Amino acid sequence: MMNVASLKLLTRRPPVIVASLVVLAVLAFLGVNRLVTRFHEQQKALARHLYERGLEAQSSGQPERAIGDFRAALSYARDNSDYQLSLARALRDTGRTAESETYLITLWERSPQEGAVNLALGRLFAREKLFDKAIQYYHNAMYGLWPQEPETRRRNTQFELIDYLLQHRAYPQAQAELITMASALPGDPGLQVRVARLFAEAQDYEHALAQFETVLRSDPANQAALYGAGQAAFQLGRYRTAEGYLQTAARADPQNDQVSKLLTTATLVLQMDPYAPRISDAERNRRLRSAFQSAGERLENCAKNEGIDLSPNSPSTGLPALKAQWLEMAPKLSRPRPPREGESLDAVMDLVFEIEQQTQGLCGTADGRDQALLLLSNDLLSHDRGGAER
């Protein structure tokens, strides 16, 4: 026990007491602060663990478990944007779109240029079938901020938008996006072929053909580009161009049935075209008679399948009327003199095309020679007789 003398000696030194108390207070503060810091670090570590577990659950097809883990992670780190974004995505994917939208709009208001947030909103509104809003946020994501690989992220977002537009048959909008994308593509044949195929899916065969031909200029043996160029030219009615690309593709891959079938049709169209330039009058007349005979047989078979009477006493409309015209024209084709282009030739082919189109509507699309004649009739509709030779 401190004696009286010592106590008196100590009380005569107040600065020492104050200093001692301050030191003790500082040490206590540092100890508490260290404990608090360790506590927060443990909370962050626990939140990270829960977040990673949620990502694993989501990737393994357990969305409900993922939502629980993301919520738990947020309880330890309420302002973490990554956790909020992952929770919003999981809620969206399980159909809880209203709650998902609440999180995403909060994130968007905090950082409206964030690419990932805008992409999540685009996907959300696409799921809710809000077409215009989905496109708006897809565009925001395309031109937004991406911390890592921004060009790749923006391009992938644009691909996703184009797929979305194609699903909704919004072909003009998809074509516009593809034209923009194609103008800035790197020299990557895989990307160029992908864009060319999307042009074809958007029914823009001119740009599709041009894009495939861009690939072929640097890689003439590219099988995907050869087949794609053949398909695009075929859809444009440029059967000579299509035949060239498809022949090269068929030589490289003779077992490809798709290439073989399309090549056969393109060749048949060219062989049956009476408007082809640089053929003799005899050959033109032979093609004309062959087309006329094929159309007559198609007319008879279709009427038989549909139970339609083609006798002279039947009503003079539809297939019976076409049969009457065919019978009236048949004697003219038995003459040795070939019909002159622009006169008898047009009259015969107009009837052939009319028969093929009407029978297609009644009896479905034909194959072989009748399919070739239907394709040639597209030249008639586009006022491009002889266009098959391009």
Side-chain angles (χ1 to χ4, degrees), residues 110-123:
R110 188 187 308 166
S111 187
Q113 297 302 316
E114 186 69 34
V117 174
N118 279 288
L119 178 57
L121 279 165
R123 290 171 174 171

Side-chain angles (χ1 to χ4, degrees), residues 308-325 358:
I308 298 173
D309 183 11
L310 295 181
S311 66
N313 297 326
S314 58
S316 58
T317 58
L319 297 192
L322 290 175
K323 179 65 175 181
Q325 294 177 52
Q358 285 206 28

Side-chain angles (χ1 to χ4, degrees), residues 44-364:
K44 288 181 180 178
L46 180 57
R48 279 196 301 272
H49 171 72
L50 289 166
Y51 173 65
E52 289 169 1
R53 197 171 73 176
L55 292 177
E56 290 176 3
Q58 194 170 36
S59 65
S60 63
Q62 302 177 64
E64 293 296 337
R65 178 183 161 192
I67 289 172
D69 287 335
F70 292 144
R71 288 193 194 277
L74 275 172
S75 70
Y76 294 107
R78 296 186 180 282
D79 295 328
N80 189 296
S81 298
D82 290 336
Y83 301 174
Q84 291 173 344
L85 182 56
S86 293
L87 175 58
R89 288 168 172 161
L91 289 167
R92 177 200 64 206
D93 294 342
T94 54
R96 304 175 200 179
T97 54
E99 191 176 357
S100 174
E101 184 176 347
T102 299
Y103 279 105
L104 290 175
I105 292 298
T106 300
L107 288 169
W108 185 87
E109 289 173 346
R110 188 187 308 166
S111 187
Q113 297 302 316
E114 186 69 34
V117 174
N118 279 288
L119 178 57
L121 279 165
R123 290 171 174 171
L124 172 69
F125 291 127
R127 186 184 183 96
E128 292 185 323
K129 300 181 180 180
L130 297 173
F131 184 77
D132 291 335
K133 292 188 75 172
I135 292 174
Q136 174 191 341
Y137 284 99
Y138 271 119
H139 278 143
N140 288 350
M142 283 164 49
Y143 302 109
L145 300 176
W146 294 91
Q148 298 177 338
E149 301 181 324
E151 291 304 316
T152 300
R153 300 280 187 176
R154 288 171 183 145
R155 187 182 303 117
N156 289 341
T157 299
Q158 193 168 22
F159 272 127
E160 188 172 326
L161 170 59
I162 291 165
D163 288 337
Y164 175 69
L165 292 169
L166 290 173
Q167 288 169 15
H168 288 77
R169 300 184 182 275
Y171 296 137
Q173 289 164 280
Q175 291 166 11
E177 294 291 342
L178 285 164
I179 290 170
T180 301
M181 176 180 276
S183 66
L185 273 183
D188 181 339
L191 281 176
Q192 292 171 333
V193 166
R194 182 179 178 183
V195 169
R197 285 172 171 165
L198 289 170
F199 268 125
E201 193 174 343
Q203 300 182 2
D204 186 347
Y205 300 110
E206 287 282 2
H207 279 102
L209 179 58
Q211 193 70 42
F212 281 125
E213 288 178 333
T214 296
V215 176
L216 291 170
R217 279 193 288 273
S218 59
D219 184 9
N222 189 302
Q223 186 71 5
L226 284 167
Y227 180 46
Q231 283 182 306
F234 188 96
Q235 292 294 334
L236 290 166
R238 301 174 189 174
Y239 300 107
R240 186 66 67 188
T241 300
E243 184 184 50
Y245 286 126
L246 293 169
Q247 283 176 339
T248 306
R251 283 194 294 270
D253 185 10
Q255 304 304 316
N256 191 317
D257 291 337
Q258 290 180 313
V259 172
S260 177
K261 184 176 180 180
L262 200 61
L263 174 59
T264 298
T265 302
T267 302
L268 190 56
V269 170
L270 293 168
Q271 291 173 347
M272 294 190 68
D273 183 12
Y275 292 101
R278 297 180 297 279
I279 60 174
S280 66
D281 286 345
E283 174 62 15
R284 195 180 312 280
N285 200 32
R286 186 196 67 76
R287 294 185 182 191
L288 187 68
R289 288 171 174 166
S290 175
F292 186 75
Q293 187 63 35
S294 294
E297 292 172 2
R298 168 71 165 161
L299 181 62
E300 290 280 354
N301 291 333
C302 180
K304 182 178 179 181
N305 290 338
E306 295 297 313
I308 298 173
D309 183 11
L310 295 181
S311 66
N313 297 326
S314 58
S316 58
T317 58
L319 297 192
L322 290 175
K323 179 65 175 181
Q325 294 177 52
W326 190 91
L327 290 171
E328 182 180 355
M329 191 169 286
K332 300 176 183 178
L333 288 179
S334 62
R335 299 169 186 168
R337 182 181 66 82
R340 289 178 294 176
E341 192 170 353
E343 295 179 4
S344 300
L345 175 60
D346 285 350
V348 173
M349 292 308 298
D350 286 348
L351 177 59
V352 167
F353 293 151
E354 181 67 20
I355 290 171
E356 293 294 345
Q357 288 162 11
Q358 285 206 28
T359 52
Q360 180 193 28
L362 281 171
C363 299

